[in-house]
Amino acid sequence: AQERIQAQAYGGSLEMDGLIKLRAGSNYRFFAELRNALLESYAARHMPSQSNMKGVVNSWVFVTGDGDSSSNLRGNGQLQINPAALYEVPVVLEMLSALNKLNFAVPNRAAFDYALMSFKIEDSAFQFDPIDLVGDALALRGRGSVGFGGDVVLDFFSRPTRPKGLPLSGILPSLATQWVNVKVRGTIDKPQTDVK
């Protein structure tokens, strides 16, 4: 059966197009696109303790698989949040807290101008490469995985930011003193960081 579904979702629109063979063990594929959804609407419903999460979400994902096992799931996609108030996401909160302890310049509670994540789905995990978290005061590039069970293996590196109007030569002296690497391990709910 081939189906196309359109719906309103979290203040935005969701479109899904899929093909499913209705026999046990059969294969399937679908494409979904989320446009202009509000992160705060999603957070209010699914994460009420994280009420300060905000941003406009645009995302797409293409998935194939067979049977009913998540280990057979394959796909890729991209997620953009712009602007990205992600301060209360446990992984981001833990990273920013660790950076703050090193007196590293951290952004305000709005966190980032945008977040852009490209991913593949394989081996029962989301494989991210890259993750870009970009703000005026701090930019981080990451890669790694988040398993379907919530286990986290992510590595982030600081990237230079260039305030508006400042030439590239103006940021070079700070690179030697403000480069940082953040390793995130543990789980989505209880991440642990190692900052160097």
Side-chain angles (χ1 to χ4, degrees):
Q2 184 160 0
E3 295 291 333
R4 173 168 283 179
I5 299 171
Q6 295 179 319
Q8 298 300 307
Y10 307 108
S13 63
L14 174 66
E15 290 186 22
M16 294 179 64
D17 194 357
L19 178 63
I20 302 170
K21 294 186 179 175
L22 300 175
R23 293 189 308 268
S26 293
N27 58 11
Y28 57 87
R29 67 177 184 261
F30 74 85
F31 177 82
E33 187 172 14
L34 181 64
R35 294 188 200 110
N36 299 318
L38 301 176
L39 182 58
E40 53 266 39
S41 295
Y42 178 86
R45 183 167 185 176
H46 299 285
M47 299 177 284
S49 64
Q50 300 177 18
S51 59
N52 290 324
M53 290 175 52
K54 294 180 182 173
V56 177
V57 179
N58 287 284
S59 181
W60 64 268
V61 63
F62 177 72
V63 173
T64 63
D66 58 76
D68 57 3
S69 172
S70 63
S71 64
N72 296 329
L73 198 62
R74 300 282 182 269
N76 55 21
Q78 194 169 65
L79 172 71
Q80 181 180 37
I81 307 170
N82 186 3
L86 303 175
Y87 195 88
E88 291 185 351
V89 174
V91 169
V92 175
L93 179 61
E94 181 69 16
M95 276 197 313
L96 296 180
S97 175
L99 291 170
N100 201 23
K101 290 175 185 173
L102 292 180
N103 295 320
F104 195 84
V106 296
N108 61 25
R109 288 188 70 86
F112 302 102
D113 295 332
Y114 69 88
L116 180 61
M117 296 163 245
S118 297
F119 60 88
K120 291 182 179 179
I121 302 169
E122 57 188 12
D123 301 325
S124 298
F126 293 92
Q127 308 285 344
F128 293 96
D129 191 8
I131 301 171
D132 283 319
L133 303 174
V134 178
D136 285 340
L138 176 66
L140 296 168
R141 170 157 281 188
R143 63 184 305 271
S145 66
V146 176
F148 289 176
D151 51 308
V152 175
V153 178
L154 297 171
D155 294 295
F156 288 89
F157 296 88
S158 61
R159 296 174 50 200
T161 59
R162 181 168 58 181
K164 294 174 179 81
L166 183 65
L168 182 61
S169 61
I171 65 169
L172 292 178
S174 67
L175 289 179
T177 58
Q178 296 215 7
W179 182 86
V180 68
N181 166 229
V182 183
K183 293 182 181 295
V184 185
R185 302 295 186 265
T187 65
I188 287 287
D189 294 328
K190 294 184 179 178
Q192 301 169 356
T193 57
D194 178 22
V195 182
K196 297 180 181 177

